[in-house]
């Protein structure tokens, strides 16, 4: 990974008079540089470590952070001066230590990691005021001359609150021009206002729901962690619908009572909609949000509020972990098992693992939350590194759903269809009772493959090693715009109209759609249930947060009978009237030989099953599979039945932390998975590092891959496999090769890999990516 040298940055710039050593400081800039650079601090500028400053770099003025005393490894004659300091509280030392740690662990340039903390450069500047409006006292003549619209505005403004023109217009049912016109005539007073930081005063003393005995016990432990103010890691492990959110809210309230900031990580923006209502109900205001769908103005306001310590609770995606918190007192990682916490581009890191590091550096507690913990997390709980807190029952007396396995070899659907007769019958009975159905298939579009029936040609993406997915024309819900029929790559975004002629054999109208996507299931549902109100819920149909919110509101309001959805609806949602879940293809994800394929399939099926029967009405789940005897299907089918106690060697080193003498079928599945990983010397019993070589010229990529393979570390404690073409041998127009390093846990893989990769000359046309602890092998 290439970085810029300080000498090359300044070699053509005129140097100031030689300063004293006490006038120089190291400044880290948010660019792909491996170290902080020395700068002169002017006599009239007082700076301290962590201050946000403006510095010159390669002819530009850019932000940076004071990282410490000058290294003194560059001649003072070549140094440039700090230009100015931004009016913000300094970045805390804990945050700077965290950036250093992440850079060292991931082998990423330190400046690239800082970039994740300084992701909103505009927020460093003092915010510009907006125009607000206040009511004024009107004369009797002025009052008589008011139009109905202006009179409505004056009625709204009588409470003395300052409002924006848009807010007044929305309440009064008029345009913003009416409000501004009133200010011009002296009927309202214009005054400058600033956007307040979100979540400034959440109320930790508001009453929450009455907790069960298990919830109270778990909440008590977490509150104690916060009160002690030291590092403590805990797994909050509860069945779906157990009320885990309400339980850890008690720890959030305790942190707020101590005037601490709290970070709650969620894997997907889709979960934040349901979460927001729960949070508002418990704490009286919305949390500060952090995700990619925020507007630039929202990002500026949130970032500044977090950096100043004004925003008390932040709910966000994985990038929220890297924000510069002033006084962080608790971290919660909800759905900790979710693969969305892994960032695969830029700085490659796992937010769950780095969150544990951030908590350790800050000496604060962290709670990992899941109904289906990752093997890495449950392994730490088994070994006593994490406390293991259990919620064994659903909240409010709701019962876990019954799960039925449908053997697709015996109960075959009609030819060209994908819903078996037993599932179709269950759907009919459910909607006849006035209850809701979820049909789950984690595959967008109409069909994953388009095949020529004459010659067998498959429509592939010209830029990726992937099939083009067919998407049908027309809107699938009232919230999604109609689109023309198209073939689309889900990896790079390439799309085209379906061709009339096969590009291989030139036959006409010979293409056939192979396999189902959610659109095809929707088509089948409409055939069998033409009067049912249906909705397809996928990232294609919910294209932004507002559309998703509206669709979820429709489900809650009972305006939908049958939902056909992907993973966007598989977890975190609570629909009281949804009692039937049908999984169209429970075997999806078990092919391909992925290390975590079985684990992730189990997690996904368990989570989607948990959407059924979350209140008084009993839930039923139907899993369509061609492998009914697979251990995943059996574990799910018996998930409500305790298994007998484990006996050695199965239980060796993996005793339950609560001392229970029974284990669930989920625990049995995890322990079988752990035994297989241990036998194969795979994580969490070893370390993995993936090396990905990518470039537009395959010959260049192959040459670098072979050189890395020739010099790869090999020995009793470390082995390197490859190079080999990646499963996605071409992605977004770049050819890709991979190597995989496996090492004993005692080996310093970062030091070994860094020295190895640095020893191979890499042309500028080729990139070498290092993925410590890879989650995907594509």
């Amino acid at each position: 990974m290439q970085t810029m040298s300080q000498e090359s940055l300044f070699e053509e710039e005129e140097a100031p008079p030689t300063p004293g050593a006490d006038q120089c400081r190291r400044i880290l800039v948010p660019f792909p540089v491996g170290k902080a650079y020395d700068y002169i601090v002017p006599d009239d500028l007082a700076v301290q470590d962590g201050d946000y400053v403006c510095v010159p770099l390669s002819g530009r003025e850019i932000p940076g952070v004071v990282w410490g005393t000058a290294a003194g490894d560059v001649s003072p004659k070549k140094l440039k001066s700090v230009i100015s300091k931004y009016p913000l509280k300094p970045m805390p030392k804990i945050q700077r230590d965290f950036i250093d740690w992440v850079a060292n662990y991931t082998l990423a340039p330190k400046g690239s990691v800082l970039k994740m903390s300084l992701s909103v450069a505009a927020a460093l500047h003092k915010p510009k005021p907006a125009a607000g409006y206040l009511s004024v006292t009107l004369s009797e003549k002025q009052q008589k001359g008011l139009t109905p619209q202006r009179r409505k505005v004056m009625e709204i403004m009588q409470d003395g609150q300052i409002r924006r023109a848009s807010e007044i217009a929305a309440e009064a049912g008029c345009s913003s021009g009416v409000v501004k016109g009133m200010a011009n005539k002296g009927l309202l007073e214009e005054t400058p206002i600033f956007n307040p930081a979100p979540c400034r005063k959440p109320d930790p003393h508001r009453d929450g729901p009455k907790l069960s005995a298990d919830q109270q016990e778990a909440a008590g432990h977490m509150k104690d962690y916060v009160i002690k103010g030291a590092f403590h890691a805990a797994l909050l492990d509860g069945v779906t619908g157990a009320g885990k959110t309400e339980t850890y809210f008690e720890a959030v309230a305790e942190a707020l009572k101590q005037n601490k900031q709290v970070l709650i990580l969620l894997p997907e923006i889709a979960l934040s909609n349901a979460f927001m209502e729960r949070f508002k109900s418990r704490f009286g205001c919305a949390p500060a949000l952090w995700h990619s769908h925020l507007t630039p103005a929202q990002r500026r306001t949130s970032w500044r509020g977090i950096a100043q310590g004004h925003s008390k609770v932040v709910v966000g995606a994985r990038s929220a972990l890297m924000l510069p918190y002033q006084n962080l007192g608790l971290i919660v990682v909800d759905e900790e098992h979710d693969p969305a916490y892994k960032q695969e581009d830029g700085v490659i890191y796992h937010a769950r693992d780095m969150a544990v590091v951030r908590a350790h550096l800050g000496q604060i507690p962290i709670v990992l939350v899941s109904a289906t913990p990752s093997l890495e997390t449950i392994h730490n709980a088994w070994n006593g590194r994490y406390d293991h807190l259990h919620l064994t029952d659903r909240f409010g007396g709701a019962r876990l759903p019954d799960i039925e396995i449908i053997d697709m070899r015996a109960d075959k659907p009609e030819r060209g269809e994908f819903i078996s007769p037993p599932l179709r019958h269950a759907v009919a009975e459910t909607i006849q009772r006035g209850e809701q159905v979820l049909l789950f298939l984690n595959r967008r579009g109409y069909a994953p493959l388009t095949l020529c029936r004459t010659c067998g040609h498959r429509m592939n993406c010209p830029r990726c090693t992937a099939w083009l997915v067919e998407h049908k024309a027309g809107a699938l819900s009232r919230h999604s715009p109609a689109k023309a029929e198209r073939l689309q790559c889900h990896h790079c975004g390439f799309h085209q109209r379906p061709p009339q002629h096969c590009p291989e054999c030139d036959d006409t109208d010979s293409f056939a759609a192979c396999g189902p996507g959610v659109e095809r299931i929707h088509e089948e549902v409409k055939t069998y249930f033409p009067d049912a109100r249906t909705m397809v819920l996928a990232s294609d149909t919910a294209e932004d947060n507002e559309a998703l919110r509206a669709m979820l509101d429709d489900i809650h309001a009972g305006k939908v009978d049958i939902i056909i959805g992907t993973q966007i609806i598989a977890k975190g949602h609570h629909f009281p009237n949804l009692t039937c879940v049908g999984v169209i293809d429970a075997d999806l994800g078990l092919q391909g030989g992925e290390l975590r394929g079985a684990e992730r399939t189990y997690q996904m099926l368990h989570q989607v099953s948990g959407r059924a029967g979350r209140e008084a009405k009993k839930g039923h789940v139907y899993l369509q599979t061609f492998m009914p005897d697979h251990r995943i299907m059996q574990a799910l089918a018996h998930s409500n039945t305790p298994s007998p106690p484990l006996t050695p060697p199965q239980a060796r080193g993996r005793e339950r932390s609560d001392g229970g003498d029974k284990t669930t079928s989920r625990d049995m599945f995890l322990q079988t998975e752990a035994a297989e990983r241990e036998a194969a010397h795979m994580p969490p019993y070893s370390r993995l590092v993936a090396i990905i070589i990518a470039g537009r010229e395959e010959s260049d990529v192959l040459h670098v891959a072979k050189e890395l393979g020739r010099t790869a570390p090999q020995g009793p404690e470390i082995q390197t496999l490859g190079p080999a073409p990646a499963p996605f041998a071409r992605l977004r127009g770049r050819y890709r090769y991979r190597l995989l390093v496996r090492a004993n846990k005692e080996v310093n893989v970062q030091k070994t890999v860094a020295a190895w990769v640095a020893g191979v000359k890499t042309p500028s046309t080729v990139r070498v990516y290092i993925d410590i602890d890879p989650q995907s092998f594509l």
Side-chain angles (χ1 to χ4, degrees), residues 24-249:
C24 300
R25 304 302 289 270
R26 283 185 300 131
I27 311 293
L28 184 62
V29 296
F31 286 88
V33 296
K35 65 176 185 178
Y37 297 151
D38 289 357
Y39 281 87
I40 301 167
V41 179
D43 292 336
D44 60 348
L45 187 64
V47 299
Q48 60 178 308
D49 290 353
D51 275 343
Y52 300 93
V53 294
C54 179
V55 296
L57 185 71
S58 296
R60 291 178 293 170
E61 295 182 358
I62 63 168
V65 178
V66 179
W67 219 250
T69 57
D73 54 356
V74 176
S75 170
K77 294 181 179 180
K78 294 185 176 182
L79 299 183
K80 299 297 290 184
S81 294
V82 174
I83 297 170
S84 61
K85 183 172 74 170
Y86 293 103
L88 281 166
K89 293 180 180 178
M91 178 183 284
K93 184 179 185 301
I94 292 170
Q95 180 69 14
R96 289 178 275 125
D97 290 344
F98 181 49
I99 290 170
D100 285 338
W101 199 100
V102 172
N104 292 331
Y105 187 85
T106 62
L107 299 180
K110 193 175 297 186
S112 297
V113 182
L114 175 65
K115 174 66 176 175
M116 296 192 293
S117 285
L118 292 185
S119 55
V120 191
L124 295 170
H125 300 276
K126 188 175 180 180
K128 296 179 180 178
Y133 297 90
L134 273 170
S135 62
V136 298
T137 302
L138 302 184
S139 65
E140 186 175 343
K141 181 178 180 181
Q142 286 175 315
Q143 291 179 2
K144 289 182 178 179
L146 292 175
T147 64
Q149 281 186 328
R150 290 181 172 178
R151 191 176 301 280
K152 179 66 174 176
V153 169
M154 294 306 300
E155 291 173 358
I156 292 168
M157 299 301 292
Q158 288 306 306
D159 60 6
Q161 296 293 319
I162 303 175
R163 293 178 173 84
R164 295 172 180 271
S166 58
E167 295 171 332
I168 300 170
E171 292 188 52
C174 64
S175 68
S176 296
V178 171
V179 178
K180 295 174 183 178
M182 293 176 67
N184 292 336
K185 293 183 175 295
L187 303 177
L188 292 174
E189 178 186 343
E190 183 176 329
T191 184
I193 59 172
F194 296 90
N195 283 333
C199 199
R200 291 175 65 95
K201 296 181 179 180
D203 184 0
H205 301 287
R206 284 170 64 102
D207 291 333
K210 183 176 176 56
L211 301 182
S212 67
D214 280 352
Q215 286 177 306
Q216 290 177 16
E217 183 178 357
H221 284 298
M222 291 185 286
K223 289 164 68 174
D224 286 343
Y225 305 154
V226 175
I227 293 170
K228 290 177 182 176
F231 172 71
H232 210 112
L235 166 63
L236 180 58
D237 178 5
V239 298
T240 54
K244 295 183 288 294
T245 302
E246 287 75 13
T247 304
Y248 71 68
F249 272 177

Side-chain angles (χ1 to χ4, degrees), residues 403-408 411 422 586 621-630 632-638:
I403 299 179
E404 179 179 330
I405 305 296
I406 298 176
D407 187 347
M408 295 291 277
D411 292 307
V621 179
Y622 302 87
L623 305 179
Q624 296 189 156
T625 176
F626 287 93
M627 297 184 287
D629 296 325
H630 194 285
I632 289 178
M633 306 307 160
Q634 291 301 310
L636 289 164
H638 299 95

